[in-house]
Amino acid sequence: MNDAPIGIFDSGVGGLTVARAVSSLLPRESIRYIGDTAHSPYGPKPIAEVRRYALEVLDTLVDEGVKMLVIACNTASSAMLRDARERYDVPVVEVIGPAVRTAMSTSRSGRIGVIGTAGTISSGAYQDMLEVNERLTVFAQACPRFVEFVEDGVTDSPEVLAVAEEYLAPLRRAGVDTLVLGCTHYPFLEGAISYVMGPDVSLVSSDTETAKDVYRQLVSRDLLAAADAVASHVYEATGDSAADFIRLAHRLMGREVRDVTLVHTGAIDLPRARAATHQED
């Protein structure tokens, strides 16, 4: 079981930032990544649809024998995290909690901004977790076109900068000193976001924080790969073209992704529980 892969799931290519962070921190761990490109982007979709698509992909990863699930998609995490932890008998790690904890410890003024897809922002997932701390004031802003830019491989154009100026203007006026990038696609636009927000605003990205959470979970559950384990990385996509996925991954991340297999997830019966064990973490 310890040498089984870690399953990482995202609606598209954004979760590759999490996969890269996990691989850097845990180089002996094997990874199986699925990007649900057939249904991307998740942000504008109704929560019920996101929940169904996400659980279909997670079912596929569990059936492939992963030892842990990482939901590297903020929209999916906000829509179905509890379902996933009740459904599967492997640990489930998500991207919202780690980023929230870091933002809380980073902010000096207590004024924190959160940007994400329409689905993530409307869910209130970040706002609810941050506002548990009474000293914090949270300002949230949906940035729907950011995912479109990243999925199109456009990360440094004048149009990206102009849209960033428009989206982020309310957060600048609010005087936030910390900004949570509440979507795993957004680190690819970190240059534009940082430029618009200015040098005094700290950006919190979920990729490295989630990788640390993965490490903690593996250690606490005695699931670390053996010292002599040889890691393998398998990338899968649900869309129609593996070549399109590879082309975009190369554009965004260099040559880290060399081969992608197309997979097809099937319809699921949502009330059916796959496991009785409930994950408490």
Side-chain angles (χ1 to χ4, degrees), residues 53-76:
Y53 295 145
L55 289 174
E56 287 176 0
V57 175
L58 294 179
D59 277 3
T60 300
L61 285 169
V62 170
D63 290 342
E64 290 176 346
V66 300
K67 65 180 177 182
M68 169 183 281
L69 291 169
V70 180
I71 307 173
C73 174
N74 288 264
T75 305

Side-chain angles (χ1 to χ4, degrees), residues 119-280:
T120 296
I121 298 303
S122 64
S123 76
Y126 277 98
Q127 299 94 305
D128 291 345
M129 292 184 70
L130 286 164
E131 288 171 350
V132 168
N133 187 327
E134 294 181 355
R135 80 174 184 88
L136 301 179
T137 304
V138 182
F139 304 87
Q141 175 69 40
C143 303
R145 292 194 63 192
F146 279 0
V147 171
E148 296 175 17
F149 283 132
V150 173
E151 294 283 349
D152 289 339
V154 180
T155 58
D156 58 358
S157 71
E159 187 180 7
V160 168
L161 194 58
V163 171
E165 292 272 9
E166 177 185 349
Y167 283 155
L168 301 176
L171 302 178
R172 292 180 62 190
R173 289 194 296 268
V176 302
D177 73 348
T178 302
L179 180 64
V180 178
L181 308 186
C183 176
T184 50
H185 286 65
Y186 292 3
F188 293 115
L189 302 177
E190 191 167 340
I193 294 170
S194 179
Y195 177 81
V196 171
M197 294 305 297
D200 295 330
V201 177
S202 300
L203 303 187
V204 175
S205 179
S206 57
D207 50 0
T208 54
E209 303 309 318
T210 301
K212 294 173 188 175
D213 210 28
V214 168
Y215 178 86
R216 285 191 289 267
Q217 292 282 347
L218 292 178
V219 170
S220 66
R221 297 170 183 271
D222 194 25
L223 287 174
L224 282 173
D228 58 352
V230 178
S232 66
H233 295 173
V234 176
Y235 300 94
E236 300 175 329
T238 62
D240 295 327
S241 173
D244 288 345
F245 186 96
I246 291 176
R247 189 179 306 113
L248 180 55
H250 284 178
R251 189 181 304 163
L252 296 171
M253 298 184 66
R255 306 291 296 183
E256 292 181 34
V257 180
R258 296 180 176 84
D259 184 57
V260 172
T261 301
L262 294 180
V263 297
H264 300 280
T265 58
I268 60 175
D269 178 12
L270 287 180
R272 175 177 60 87
R274 292 174 65 88
T277 302
H278 179 71
Q279 305 297 334
E280 297 294 337

Side-chain angles (χ1 to χ4, degrees), residues 36-121:
D36 190 16
T37 50
H39 304 116
S40 183
Y42 278 7
K45 291 182 169 58
I47 287 178
E49 282 189 28
V50 171
R51 180 171 173 256
R52 178 166 65 88
Y53 295 145
L55 289 174
E56 287 176 0
V57 175
L58 294 179
D59 277 3
T60 300
L61 285 169
V62 170
D63 290 342
E64 290 176 346
V66 300
K67 65 180 177 182
M68 169 183 281
L69 291 169
V70 180
I71 307 173
C73 174
N74 288 264
T75 305
S77 292
S78 61
M80 44 65 73
L81 175 61
R82 179 173 297 180
D83 297 290
R85 286 182 167 162
E86 291 177 347
R87 187 176 182 84
Y88 307 112
D89 60 358
V90 296
V92 179
V93 172
E94 47 80 38
V95 290
I96 295 177
V100 164
R101 291 190 291 272
T102 300
M104 284 181 172
S105 63
T106 300
S107 179
R108 305 172 303 280
S109 68
R111 300 175 72 82
I112 295 177
V114 178
I115 56 175
T117 66
T120 296
I121 298 303

